[in-house]
């Protein structure tokens, strides 16, 4: 991650595909404080996140896959656009396309994703449906780093939060129950990163250490 002065807000670029409620949570919390959302990009022009960004005075861009020969070329264009905005941290807030190496290699240890399951359970698409079909009683959300490791939702976990739902059958109802968790957890994780409180455990780089959080005690 690029170095910056301690009192400089962390410059964030957000990628989104959907309604953008997680972007909104960032705009209403860390934006203008520890961090600045300076650029929001979507893979389709219909993403509600774009209007939310424009309403907040944040620059937007759309990168439809049809405009590029392949995903790698599209991802290189997104990366160049974000770098042009001096983005230091990329937040995937409901971004439903997989990112390729040309993107991830430009932002080492500087891409985070929010996923609606307790990883490593239920990675990939339709996470909530997967969890319901499995019959779990505890649902949850994960914020994790995205690495150029060839996996899907496999990067080191930064933060997780859970909720018990005993007899879940309706994905929309579970999603509604998870939304408040997401809208709290993503800004919390971004705030910790902006404060420099997040690092890799040298003994096991899969483990993320959060300064100030208790060690080996229930959180
Ligand atoms: C969120 O629930 C997020 O966890 C999920 O998309 C939704 C976006 O909502 N992301 C994934 O499923 C990524 N695999 P939003 O557009 O309202 O922020």
């Amino acid at each position: 991650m690029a170095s910056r002065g301690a009192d400089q807000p962390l410059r964030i670029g957000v990628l989104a595909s959907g309604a953008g409620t997680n972007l909104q949570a960032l705009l209403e919390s860390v934006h203008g404080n520890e961090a600045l959302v300076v650029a929001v990009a979507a893979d389709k022009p219909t993403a509600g996140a774009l209007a939310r960004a424009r309403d907040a005075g944040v620059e937007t861009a759309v990168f439809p896959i049809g405009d590029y020969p392949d995903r790698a070329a599209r991802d290189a264009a997104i990366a160049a656009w974000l770098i042009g905005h001096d983005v230091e941290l990329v937040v995937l807030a409901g971004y439903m396309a997989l990112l390729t190496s040309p993107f991830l290699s430009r932002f080492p240890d500087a891409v985070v994703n929010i996923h609606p399951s307790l990883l490593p359970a239920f990675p990939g698409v339709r996470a909530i449906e997967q969890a319901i079909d499995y019959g779990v009683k505890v649902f949850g959300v994960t914020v994790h780093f995205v690495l150029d490791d060839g996996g899907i939702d496999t990067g080191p976990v930064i933060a997780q939060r859970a909720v018990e739902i005993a007899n879940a059958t309706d994905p929309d109802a579970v999603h509604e129950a998870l939304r408040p968790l997401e809208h709290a957890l993503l800004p919390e994780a971004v705030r910790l990163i902006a404060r420099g409180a997040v690092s890799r455990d040298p003994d096991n780089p899969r483990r993320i250490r959060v300064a100030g959080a208790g060690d080996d005690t229930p959180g």
Side-chain angles (χ1 to χ4, degrees), residues 10-208:
L10 182 69
R11 294 177 67 83
I12 294 180
V14 174
L15 302 186
S17 302
T21 64
N22 281 286
L23 166 67
Q24 192 72 44
L26 291 173
L27 290 171
E28 291 174 5
S29 55
V30 292
H31 180 58
N33 294 301
E34 295 93 341
L36 271 185
V37 179
V38 295
V40 172
D43 51 348
K44 43 181 125 137
T46 50
L50 294 166
R52 294 178 190 270
R54 284 193 290 265
D55 286 351
V58 177
E59 271 196 60
T60 63
V62 184
F63 295 87
I65 188 65
D67 289 1
Y68 301 90
D70 55 26
R71 281 172 44 223
R74 190 259 298 269
D75 286 1
I78 301 174
W81 186 74
L82 294 173
I83 288 166
H85 286 78
D86 296 324
V87 162
E88 299 166 288
L89 179 73
V90 179
V91 177
L92 308 183
Y95 187 63
M96 301 310 283
L98 294 178
L99 288 168
T100 53
S101 291
F103 187 97
L104 293 169
S105 63
R106 304 292 294 272
F107 294 99
D109 276 3
V111 181
V112 301
N113 179 45
I114 180 137
H115 183 76
S117 79
L118 293 170
L119 292 170
F122 315 122
V125 294
R126 301 176 63 79
I128 294 171
E129 285 86 345
Q130 292 182 56
I132 290 174
D133 289 349
Y134 196 90
V136 301
K137 305 298 186 193
V138 179
F139 293 76
V141 302
T142 302
V143 179
H144 64 96
F145 282 114
V146 180
L147 305 184
D148 193 8
D149 61 1
I152 296 175
D153 299 324
T154 45
V157 170
I158 303 167
Q160 294 185 301
R161 198 145 295 163
V163 59
E164 285 186 39
I165 308 176
N167 298 310
T169 55
D170 177 3
D172 290 339
V174 172
H175 206 175
E176 283 313 304
L178 293 181
R179 282 197 183 281
L181 276 64
E182 291 197 321
H183 298 165
L185 198 67
L186 183 60
E188 280 177 34
V190 168
R191 190 175 293 119
L192 288 168
I193 292 169
R195 289 179 180 163
V198 171
S199 62
R200 300 274 197 116
D201 182 340
D203 293 336
N204 176 352
R206 268 217 63 87
R207 285 199 300 247
I208 297 298

